[in-house]
């Protein structure tokens, strides 16, 4: 019996009949599975009465079993530091914040001009993601430095198995909302969008070279699912195709950027109010966006998410990190 995260690089001799010939693929747990994992790790944790574990399962998409164990342990530590007799919902929310985004760094020195840029950058993400129906719903935005990030935006990604072109384009536009906001408000751009640009660049190239979403390149995928390129030391396409791929990827990014600019200009009043609210309060939640913009289009009702609810995404304004907006 053996386990590995990199089955693609194992010697094929290990997979021969009579050896490790039966394989079980273990994916990240879904909501119901996460609920069962929480029940295991919370057996010895003293919780407040009528604690809703389903709430935790809903707020942790993409978390592995180890991540869930870490959340439970961190929540217990936070409650102990506050001298509480039982762990409550807020302790778990703070634990998820800390695990996803890192520790708060309120002592970090940020100039008023930088703070304003960060606030409008994050408000740009929030505004674009709110008005694009296929973007992930935003739950919380903060301009308090956390980890390597100077600002963070939490979303609740939909747990889906396939993604359409329209969904990817809306997600890219929301990611570029921060850069678009800087262009509109400051008339110039900054290094704060580096992590955003890294994300959309990889996504655009994947759309063209992996998912066959480009009309000009066609229904072709250069993805190697085996992970074994053998002795092939060159790209599996010609220089002419490489130029076409570059042009198509840039076209997707430019289209998403144009969409972000259009959304922000159409909702300029709400976008500005949101940024000023961020500057004043430093943290805003889902219901604050509802008070400014109204119900999110395409939902028929607001997202039924409690206050202070982060997910596994965070914006990095300083240098690339594992978290993305």
């Amino acid at each position: 019996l053996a386990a590995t995260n990199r089955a693609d690089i194992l010697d094929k001799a290990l997979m021969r009949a009579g050896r490790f010939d039966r394989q079980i693929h273990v994916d990240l747990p879904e909501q119901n599975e996460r609920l069962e994992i929480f029940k295991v790790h919370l057996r010895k944790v003293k919780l407040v009465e009528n604690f809703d574990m389903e709430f935790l399962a809903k707020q942790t998409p993409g978390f592995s079993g180890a991540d869930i164990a870490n959340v439970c342990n961190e929540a217990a530590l936070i409650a102990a530091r506050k001298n509480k007799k039982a762990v409550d919902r807020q302790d778990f929310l703070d634990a998820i914040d800390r695990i996803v985004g890192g520790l708060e760094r309120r002592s970090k020195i940020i100039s008023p001009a930088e703070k304003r840029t960060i606030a409008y950058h994050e408000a740009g993400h929030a505004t674009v993601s709110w008005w694009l129906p296929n973007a992930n719903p935003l739950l919380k935005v903060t301009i308090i430095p956390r980890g390597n990030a100077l600002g963070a935006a939490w979303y609740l990604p939909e747990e889906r198995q396939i993604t359409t072109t329209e969904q990817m384009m809306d997600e890219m536009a929301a990611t570029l909302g921060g850069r678009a906001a800087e262009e509109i408000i400051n008339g110039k751009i900054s290094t704060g969008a580096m992590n955003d640009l890294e994300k959309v660049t990889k996504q655009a190239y994947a759309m063209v070279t992996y998912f066959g979403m480009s009309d000009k390149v066609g229904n072709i995928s250069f993805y190697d699912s085996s992970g074994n390129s053998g002795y092939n030391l060159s790209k599996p396409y010609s220089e002419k195709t490489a130029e076409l791929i570059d042009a198509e990827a840039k076209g997707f990014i430019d289209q998403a950027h144009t969409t972000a600019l259009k959304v922000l200009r159409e909702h300029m009043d709400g976008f500005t109010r949101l940024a000023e609210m961020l500057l004043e309060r430093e943290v805003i939640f889902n219901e604050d966006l509802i008070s400014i913009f109204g119900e999110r289009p395409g939902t028929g009702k607001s997202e039924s998410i409690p206050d202070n609810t982060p997910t596994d995404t965070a914006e990095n304004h300083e240098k690339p990190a594992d978290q993305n907006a």
Side-chain angles (χ1 to χ4, degrees):
L1 182 66
T4 179
N5 289 329
R6 293 299 307 275
D8 55 301
I9 63 173
L10 294 178
D11 191 325
K12 291 183 179 180
L14 288 171
M15 307 298 184
R16 290 177 186 164
R19 298 176 184 177
F20 293 107
D21 56 350
R22 178 167 300 181
Q23 299 180 34
I24 301 173
H25 297 278
V26 182
D27 295 322
L28 290 174
E30 297 179 353
Q31 181 177 321
N32 291 335
E33 295 166 342
R34 291 196 298 273
L35 176 59
E36 296 302 317
I37 296 173
F38 268 113
K39 289 179 179 178
V40 171
H41 291 297
L42 291 177
R43 285 175 183 169
K44 297 182 180 180
V45 177
K46 187 174 182 180
L47 304 172
V48 294
E49 291 186 12
N50 300 321
F51 185 83
D52 184 11
M53 290 190 190
E54 289 189 9
F55 155 77
L56 292 178
K58 291 177 181 178
Q59 307 315 309
T60 50
F63 277 44
S64 66
D67 292 329
I68 292 173
N70 197 10
V71 167
C72 297
N73 185 57
E74 190 65 42
L77 289 173
I78 291 172
R81 292 190 191 103
K82 297 178 181 178
N83 294 320
K84 294 183 178 180
K85 296 187 180 297
V87 186
D88 59 25
R89 173 182 290 193
Q90 188 58 49
D91 297 323
F92 281 99
L93 291 173
D94 292 342
I96 295 172
D97 276 2
R98 180 171 294 186
I99 290 169
V100 172
L103 291 170
E104 285 188 354
R105 296 188 298 162
R106 290 181 177 271
S107 61
K108 189 175 182 67
I109 299 175
I110 301 175
S111 69
E114 287 178 328
K115 188 174 182 180
R116 181 176 184 273
T117 297
I118 295 168
Y120 274 92
H121 185 110
E122 296 299 340
H125 285 307
T127 303
V128 177
S129 68
W130 188 261
W131 288 107
L132 293 180
N134 294 311
N136 294 322
L138 185 137
L139 304 177
K140 173 182 174 181
V141 186
T142 177
I143 57 173
I144 300 172
R146 183 183 286 276
N148 289 326
L150 298 180
W154 279 258
Y155 300 84
L156 186 64
E158 181 183 349
E159 296 188 58
R160 53 183 179 234
Q161 302 302 315
I162 58 174
T163 305
T164 65
T165 304
E166 291 74 20
Q167 288 169 336
M168 295 190 77
M169 290 301 300
D170 280 2
E171 288 174 6
M172 288 172 62
T175 303
L176 290 172
R179 167 57 65 91
E182 291 183 26
E183 293 178 43
I184 292 174
I185 298 302
N186 297 333
K188 52 189 175 182
I189 57 178
S190 72
T191 59
M194 182 165 62
N195 187 242
D196 298 333
L197 299 178
E198 178 189 8
K199 180 181 178 181
V200 297
T201 300
K202 290 179 179 178
Q203 195 164 354
Y205 273 96
M207 291 173 69
V208 178
T209 60
Y210 290 171
F211 305 130
M213 292 179 171
S214 165
D215 292 335
K216 292 184 179 179
V217 175
N219 297 318
I220 296 175
S221 176
F222 300 105
Y223 180 68
D224 181 13
S225 60
S226 68
N228 299 319
S229 58
Y231 296 104
N232 184 16
L233 301 179
S234 62
K235 295 179 180 178
Y237 44 80
S238 66
E239 289 299 321
K240 184 177 180 180
T241 301
E243 293 178 3
L244 183 59
I245 290 172
D246 291 340
E248 287 293 280
K250 186 177 184 300
F252 280 137
I253 295 172
D254 290 344
Q255 182 181 340
H257 179 246
T258 300
T259 300
L261 288 171
K262 181 173 180 284
V263 171
L264 291 177
R265 286 175 175 142
E266 287 178 352
H267 303 279
M268 193 69 187
D269 290 342
F271 160 54
T272 305
R273 285 175 58 196
L274 189 62
E276 293 301 323
M277 184 184 292
L278 257 178
L279 275 173
E280 178 184 353
R281 291 166 44 180
E282 294 188 327
V283 181
I284 59 174
F285 303 103
N286 178 265
E287 69 273 11
D288 296 316
L289 273 73
I290 296 174
S291 68
I292 293 174
F293 296 125
E295 301 292 350
R296 188 166 185 258
T299 61
K301 59 181 180 178
S302 62
E303 302 293 334
S304 56
I305 306 298
D307 298 355
N308 232 9
T309 311
T311 63
D312 60 339
T313 52
E315 168 65 14
N316 187 334
H317 292 282
E318 209 169 49
K319 59 183 179 180
D322 293 334
Q323 297 88 9
N324 296 311

